[in-house]
Amino acid sequence: MARRLQVSFYERGHQSGVYLFPKDRPQPPSYEHSPIVAEYFAHCEEERRGKRGEWARLIGSPGEIFPNTALHPRQPRTIAVWHPRGTHQTEVWRWYLVDKAAPSEVKDFLRDYYIRYSGPGGMTEQDDMENWNYAHAASRGTIARRYPYSYEQGLGFEVDDYESEGLRIPGTVLDITEAKSSEHNLRNFYRRWAEFMEAESWDELASWRRNGATMTARAAEQP
């Protein structure tokens, strides 16, 4: 039922994927093998909808805080920090988030789920590592060094002021719901990285500070 969006914030270099659900979406059944776990997460979803109102339609998926922090707000809820260790290695620190007040059955379920999902023993992370290793090796090849990579997928389809059923999403948004391949968020990351490499000062990078100072100065000039 959801629309799949990529959202970038150009001034900061941050980006994320999100799912945007319609207003009338029902709450699907989940964790039906365990009534305690199912009831707990149903309660959490009810609390989330009550607190966030219209914004509860927006469900997060993996995103990045520039330059090296990754967030995953859905299960498995995790924060990862990526530390370069030379040209060919990266060290990853990952934290998993579990509600302190959750029943012991929920904590045990999440512990097992996180171990199977992410980290050195996780199935998805092992699969990702295989992709990264192959891509890294291929990028060192003769042909790969001879020609530049293309990051043009989805170029020209991004919009500002994206709106759905009255909910306006901030940032620059690319809707990839209809299986439209996109590198929108990657372009934003590398664009911001290039700015860091070329800037002569921190003031040049913190453009929002200059904008704020200009607005304050203009307000002071008003009689």
Side-chain angles (χ1 to χ4, degrees):
M1 295 182 292
R3 302 200 69 80
R4 173 73 167 144
L5 310 178
Q6 289 183 338
V7 185
S8 294
F9 298 91
Y10 283 174
E11 278 197 322
R12 308 297 178 100
H14 311 322
Q15 51 272 320
S16 182
V18 297
Y19 293 97
L20 181 60
F21 285 86
K23 286 185 175 182
D24 58 350
R25 75 177 178 99
Q27 182 172 326
S30 59
Y31 311 107
E32 295 178 90
H33 64 287
S34 173
I36 294 178
V37 176
E39 290 173 7
Y40 177 76
F41 283 113
H43 169 73
C44 290
E45 175 63 12
E46 184 179 346
E47 289 285 308
R48 193 183 71 86
R49 292 189 183 192
K51 291 178 180 179
R52 300 195 64 193
E54 192 71 5
W55 283 102
R57 294 170 49 201
L58 203 67
I59 305 294
S61 67
E64 295 79 36
I65 298 176
F66 186 87
N68 68 332
T69 301
L71 304 175
H72 198 314
R74 296 187 301 124
Q75 298 294 358
R77 291 185 297 169
T78 177
I79 298 174
V81 181
W82 304 76
H83 299 277
R85 288 291 182 261
T87 307
H88 305 299
Q89 291 184 335
T90 300
E91 179 178 299
V92 185
W93 297 357
R94 188 182 290 274
W95 294 263
Y96 299 95
L97 307 179
V98 178
D99 296 336
K100 182 178 180 180
S104 59
E105 291 86 350
V106 173
K107 293 179 180 179
D108 290 340
F109 166 81
L110 291 176
R111 182 184 299 109
D112 292 341
Y113 176 40
Y114 293 166
I115 291 173
R116 292 195 303 269
Y117 189 96
S118 295
M123 295 302 295
T124 56
E125 202 115 78
Q126 288 185 46
D127 181 66
D128 287 344
M129 283 301 299
E130 188 174 74
N131 295 333
W132 294 334
N133 287 335
Y134 287 149
H136 179 75
S139 295
R140 302 174 66 186
T142 301
I143 302 302
R145 289 170 178 263
R146 186 178 300 168
Y147 299 101
Y149 280 116
S150 171
Y151 297 95
E152 297 178 276
Q153 292 184 12
L155 186 63
F157 290 92
E158 60 273 6
V159 298
D160 294 318
D161 299 321
Y162 182 93
E163 185 175 329
S164 174
E165 296 182 285
L167 185 65
R168 180 167 293 181
I169 308 300
T172 301
V173 179
L174 198 152
D175 190 335
I176 60 173
T177 305
E178 308 302 328
K180 184 181 297 177
S181 182
S182 170
E183 292 169 318
H184 171 61
N185 284 348
L186 294 175
R187 287 193 295 271
N188 183 56
F189 176 86
Y190 287 120
R191 178 201 55 78
R192 186 58 171 163
W193 183 264
E195 290 180 355
F196 265 67
M197 296 297 99
E198 298 170 358
E200 296 183 358
S201 69
W202 286 107
D203 289 337
E204 184 178 337
L205 292 168
S207 57
W208 58 89
R209 295 177 183 173
R210 296 197 304 274
N211 294 339
T214 301
M215 293 176 63
T216 302
R218 289 177 180 173
E221 292 173 0
Q222 298 298 321

